[in-house]
Structures are given as structure tokens and as C-alpha cells.
Amino acid sequence: MAELDDHAAKLDEYHAKRDFGSTPEPAGRVVTDKDRPLRFLVQRHRARRLHYDLRLEIGGVLASWAVPKGPGLDPKRKSLAVKVEDHPFAYGWFEGNIPSGYGKGDVIVWDDGWWEPDPAYPHSKDLARAVDSGELKFVLHGKKLHGRYVILRTAGDQWLLIKKNDDDAVPGWDPEEHPASVLSARTNADVVAGTPGRWAAPTETELRELDEMGAKGRWTVAGETTLLTNLDKVIMPGRDGDPAITKREIVRYYAQVAPWLTPYLAGRPVNLNRFPDGIGGAKGGFWHKAVPAHAPAFVRRWPNPLADIDKTREYLMVDGAPSLVWAANFAGIEIHPWTSTAASPEQPSYALIDIDPGPATTWAETLVLAQMFRVAMTQLDLVARPKVTGQRGIQVWIPIRSGYTFDDTSRFVEALSKTIGRVVPELVSWQWRKSDRKGLARLDYTQNAINKTLVAPYSIRPAPGAPVSVPLEWDELDDPDLRPDRWTIREVLGRLASVGDPFGALVGQEQSLPAL
Ligand code: MN
């Protein structure tokens, strides 16, 4: 017990400074996972004064320094660093607005990666003791920051952070010239405005390189190179006699749709439904959560501090076209992000309505149910949008503010769904077992849970023709040509170019769930 109490005490100062009823920052906890490299993160925080928070994982928490001029690669800069309280591990992935109180301002994750004590020097196994002694020599392996550093206490809480003059040093390098988040591509100003980051799409030249490549080759998109294999393998048949869909076409689609898809994946762990032998293959599809050791270094990994709830340790975190290209080559055909972010895995950012038709449910009946939710959203004054699943169903996504639990969203969607089910009892079954539902539809509020995921907007579904889950404007429910699998990977990019993304209306909406 004493050890547990010590652990909890590490975050006492952090907890004492914050009111978790009014800040979106995570309460977090001490983590105990030791079988992986230590993580570091740097956040750019525009508080009363701009600073960068350097955070090194030590002893299950993030030892933290506020660095007003920022860490960098220039060996001539000696940056003042003020030691601040240890932060919980999850905090490192936090981006958002702190509306009031301690740290009021806006935060992005400016860099992340792993770190180690500098192997060129002897060091204590007890890294916390090294910090207490006032000097730590270390090596960073990040997206922006690389190489050897030293941080030294000069007086009290005042330290100096120095980049060593090694092969990674870049004289004159200025952190302010590299302002975007490594997780979401957002700047601090984007976070304040509630706008998504801007992600690169492949250029015409890059697309031509993919088209002209043999069955195997190296492809560079948005600055990262992936080894592509088996590009001509058929993953699914075409629809209605159209040509079959190869892995090359799937890789191409995910690279092109990356600017639209990534906003719904960034900062969240992602599960892949893989079909290495195609959708008709002997193995069928299977869920893959852990990032394999052979994945390239640019693939962002999130170490799950809740690994006792869900055994997977290091999840994929998609941050743009290169990681989507890697996932597609890995035969990750279908993409399911978590409903919560890595910073607050126990707090959903959407309430999800899942209209799951039974075998006897017609498309017209599915639309009746969707229209009823549309009326409910209007009456409750909630901004929400439907999407077709690419298979048979329709989902409605309701963006919510931080602070809700999965119990809250599940109870809200259950109450709403039961209200609608009472109006049309002939369409809806509440039986748990499929065989007891008499073919009726299910309004599946149980998808609002930490370990449940729904298919991402613009993800491919494993069916002939490669249909896609596509967001809709509410008015499109009235279109007589609408079908749940209307758009395939061959039509989605054209639709996006002409009508844009209806889910764009959901970004930045911080809604409270009304009482029902
Ligand atoms: Mn700060």
C-alpha cells in the first residue's frame, strides 16, 4: 500500500492546482508500463506568457519544465527552463483550450517521441534521483527534436536546457518556425478557432509514381517513404461487373482522402480491420490493434496507459497520409478510431447513435428511424450529422464538450433511442440476442463504451466495390437515390470535391448533452 500511496502522491501538486470540473485537462494517473522506451513530449502553451513544456517520462509520470524560448536544435541557445510539477502521463497528448484558472490558454503537442539517458555518460538507474541531483544528460528521438541534450539546475526551480553540438545540431534553428502540432497538424490559433489541421494530399507526380510502380516499391508521400508490397493483389471484387479493387487502388484512395479522414483520427488510438488475403480470403478479416515492431519509425505509436482494460500496449495513431499509406499496405482496409482521445481515454468526444438494421428491416424503414433522430436533434438543439455506414446502416454523430463519461453518453443515447423505439415499436427490438430480434432493427446505444469503436468517416468497408462510410447533410436523407452503400472509393473523392465534408460542421462543437 505504501508504494501505491507514494505513486498517487506524485500527482498531488498537479491535482491541487486544477479543478477538473472546469478544465478539459486530464486528471490522469501514474502509469506502470515498463516494457517500452520512455516517452517524451513537448507542448506549446500560450498561457499568460508563451512557453514550451518539456516533459520526460520518469517513474510513471512526466517530469516537466516550462521553457519560455523553447527547446530546439541550435547548440548556441541556452534556454532557461523552469521546473514545474510532475504531470500525469496522459497529459502529454492533451491539446485544447484551458478556459480559466491555472495555465489558462491554449495547448498543442509540438513534438513527441522517445528518450533515453545519454549512453555516453554513466547514469543512475534512478532517473528521478538524477533530476533531484540537478543534472540530466539525455538523448531525444522525436519528430522535430533529435540528439543529445543536457538540463542543469542553476538555482531553485531555474534550470538551463542546452543542445549539445552533435550531428543533429542545426545552428540558427528556431522552434517558432515549426509551429504545427505533430498530432493534429493544428497551430495554437487553430485550436482556439476550433478548426482542423491542414494535411498534405499526394501530388500528381507522387500519384503517377504509384500508378507506374511494379508490384513492389518504395513510395514517398508527404515526406515519408513506405515500402509497398503486393500492389496488384485483388482485395475485393468490383461491383456490378466493374474491375476488381487492388491493394494499389486502396493505397491510392487512403493517400488521397487523408486530408479529409485524418481530422477524425488525429490524437486517437485506431483499430484496423485487416484483410491480407482479400475479403474472400481464407482468414477473412481480423482486428489488429498493436503496431507491429516492423512498422517504420514515422508511424506514431500511442502507449496505452489503460492496458489493463484493453491488453494492447502500443496503438497506431494516424497523423496524415504516410501512416494511412502504411496501414493500407498492411491490409488495414477498415479503420475504426476510438471515440475518446489519447489525452482523456475515458472521456468520449462524441455521443454515437447506431441504427443497425435487422434482416427484415427495409432501407425505407432505416430512413424512417434516421429521420426521427433528425427531428430529435432539431428539438434538442444539437448539432449532429448522419453518415451511411457503407453497409446497411446509418449512424448519427453528436460532438460533445469534454467532461462526460461513457456512462453519460450511453445513458443519453439509450434514453433517446428508447423514446424513438416507443413511437415505432414495430421497427425496433431491444432483445440483446440477434436471434431474438425477429429481424427488427437495433438502436445500439452500447457502442458508447471505451472499448467499442465505430467505422471512421471515409473508411472503406470490406464488401464488393469497396463501399465507403460517407457523412451526409440531413437533407440528403430525403434523396430517393440515397443508399447506405451508395459511394465507393471510386466516387468519394469526386463527392468531396463537389460538396465537401458534411462532418466539417461538427468540428469544434463543444455541446452539452440536454436532460431528457
Ligand atoms: Mn505550460
Side-chain angles (χ1 to χ4, degrees):
M1 273 319 282
E3 200 185 341
L4 281 178
D5 289 341
D6 275 357
H7 259 205
K10 285 183 183 177
L11 294 174
D12 277 356
E13 187 181 350
Y14 173 84
H15 286 136
K17 284 182 169 167
R18 290 166 178 83
D19 169 7
F20 294 103
S22 65
T23 178
E25 296 165 287
R29 59 179 75 175
V30 178
V31 302
T32 52
D33 188 357
K34 292 190 179 71
D35 303 331
R36 53 167 175 75
L38 295 167
R39 302 298 295 257
F40 87 91
L41 300 108
V42 179
Q43 284 157 313
R44 187 174 184 274
H45 183 182
R46 295 194 303 183
R48 204 150 42 84
R49 295 172 70 174
L50 168 69
H51 61 273
Y52 291 69
D53 290 295
L54 169 66
R55 309 194 193 280
L56 303 179
E57 181 188 2
I58 294 179
V61 294
L62 298 173
S64 297
W65 290 263
V67 186
K69 289 191 173 159
L73 297 173
D74 184 351
K76 289 228 172 69
R77 280 164 75 118
K78 291 183 175 50
S79 300
L80 170 70
V82 180
K83 187 85 175 67
V84 298
E85 76 276 15
D86 290 344
H87 278 51
F89 188 69
Y91 196 98
W93 284 266
F94 170 74
E95 297 195 332
N97 291 299
I98 303 169
S100 59
Y102 184 71
K104 177 179 185 306
D106 45 82
V107 177
I108 60 163
V109 179
W110 181 81
D111 198 16
D112 79 331
W114 61 282
W115 78 276
E116 58 186 329
D118 191 335
Y121 295 91
H123 58 269
S124 164
K125 280 221 163 60
D126 187 342
L127 296 169
R129 188 167 294 173
V131 172
D132 288 344
S133 78
E135 180 175 319
L136 184 66
K137 298 184 173 84
F138 58 100
V139 183
L140 297 181
H141 306 267
K143 204 99 182 171
K144 295 172 183 169
L145 301 178
H146 305 275
R148 297 166 61 201
Y149 290 80
V150 61
I151 192 162
L152 311 158
R153 181 160 54 217
T154 53
D157 290 340
Q158 312 264 306
W159 297 57
L160 276 182
L161 174 66
I162 300 161
K163 172 82 191 84
K164 293 257 187 148
N165 198 359
D166 60 8
D167 290 348
D168 294 303
V170 181
W173 197 92
D174 180 354
E176 289 292 294
E177 289 172 10
H178 307 266
S181 161
V182 291
L183 293 190
S184 67
R186 293 183 296 180
T187 61
N188 286 76
D190 290 329
V191 167
V192 172
T195 49
R198 286 162 286 274
W199 280 277
T203 64
E204 288 302 316
T205 308
E206 287 167 345
L207 289 173
R208 200 164 50 243
E209 283 163 5
L210 175 64
D211 296 342
E212 292 171 357
M213 193 178 289
K216 184 176 171 179
R218 294 189 178 276
W219 191 37
T220 301
V221 164
E224 304 287 1
T225 302
T226 308
L227 175 63
L228 301 179
T229 54
N230 296 317
L231 285 170
D232 296 319
K233 177 177 270 185
V234 170
I235 301 297
M236 48 196 100
R239 186 191 265 183
D240 305 330
D242 284 344
I245 288 94
T246 61
K247 195 158 98 175
R248 187 190 312 267
E249 189 169 359
I250 289 172
V251 167
R252 196 181 206 279
Y253 168 76
Y254 275 126
Q256 286 188 284
V257 87
W260 303 96
L261 167 55
T262 310
Y264 306 108
L265 306 179
R268 296 165 194 278
V270 158
N271 301 341
L272 298 175
N273 194 8
R274 293 184 58 218
F275 293 83
D277 299 323
I279 66 167
K283 280 190 225 154
F286 56 93
W287 288 100
H288 200 116
K289 297 178 177 179
V291 177
H294 59 72
F298 71 75
V299 172
R300 172 158 281 103
R301 293 147 166 93
W302 175 63
N304 178 12
L306 305 175
D308 52 331
I309 290 177
D310 184 321
K311 292 287 168 11
T312 301
R313 287 290 184 75
E314 293 209 290
Y315 277 81
L316 168 64
M317 205 180 250
V318 169
D319 56 6
S323 46
L324 286 169
V325 166
W326 171 80
N329 184 66
F330 191 50
I333 302 309
E334 190 176 83
I335 301 174
H336 285 224
W338 282 26
T339 308
S340 52
T341 63
S344 299
E346 291 159 291
Q347 294 190 4
S349 30
Y350 299 94
L352 301 170
I353 294 161
D354 186 17
I355 305 169
D356 183 11
T361 309
T362 65
W363 173 237
E365 289 167 345
T366 303
L367 283 173
V368 166
L369 291 167
Q371 294 280 15
M372 293 179 75
F373 280 107
R374 173 192 196 175
V375 170
M377 291 299 107
T378 306
Q379 286 178 351
L380 294 170
D381 203 21
L382 282 170
V383 176
R385 289 290 184 277
K387 76 178 171 67
V388 288
T389 63
Q391 290 181 327
R392 297 186 62 226
I394 295 178
Q395 301 162 355
V396 179
W397 287 36
I398 309 167
I400 56 173
R401 63 167 170 79
S402 67
Y404 288 110
T405 65
F406 282 100
D407 274 351
D408 295 330
T409 52
S410 178
R411 270 199 292 268
F412 174 80
V413 176
E414 177 181 6
L416 182 60
S417 299
K418 292 223 157 129
T419 303
I420 283 173
R422 275 194 289 275
V423 182
V424 281
E426 69 282 11
L427 299 185
V428 177
S429 167
W430 299 104
Q431 295 299 317
W432 182 258
R433 288 152 58 112
K434 233 179 193 154
S435 54
D436 294 339
R437 283 182 217 150
K438 301 194 174 107
L440 299 182
R442 177 171 155 82
L443 302 176
D444 190 2
Y445 54 86
T446 69
Q447 298 296 331
N448 293 284
I450 188 166
N451 52 355
K452 296 279 180 70
T453 55
L454 291 184
V455 66
Y458 306 111
S459 170
I460 295 173
R461 306 311 300 272
V468 171
S469 181
V470 173
L472 306 175
E473 297 293 348
W474 284 114
D475 287 348
E476 294 183 88
L477 294 178
D478 304 325
D479 181 346
D481 292 333
L482 183 64
R483 293 290 178 275
D485 57 354
R486 176 175 180 178
W487 292 280
T488 73
I489 56 171
R490 292 178 181 152
E491 289 115 21
V492 165
L493 293 161
R495 171 181 159 88
L496 282 166
S498 64
V499 305
D501 173 22
F503 267 21
L506 307 184
V507 176
Q509 293 284 347
E510 311 240 330
Q511 304 183 102
S512 294
L513 291 174
L516 291 175

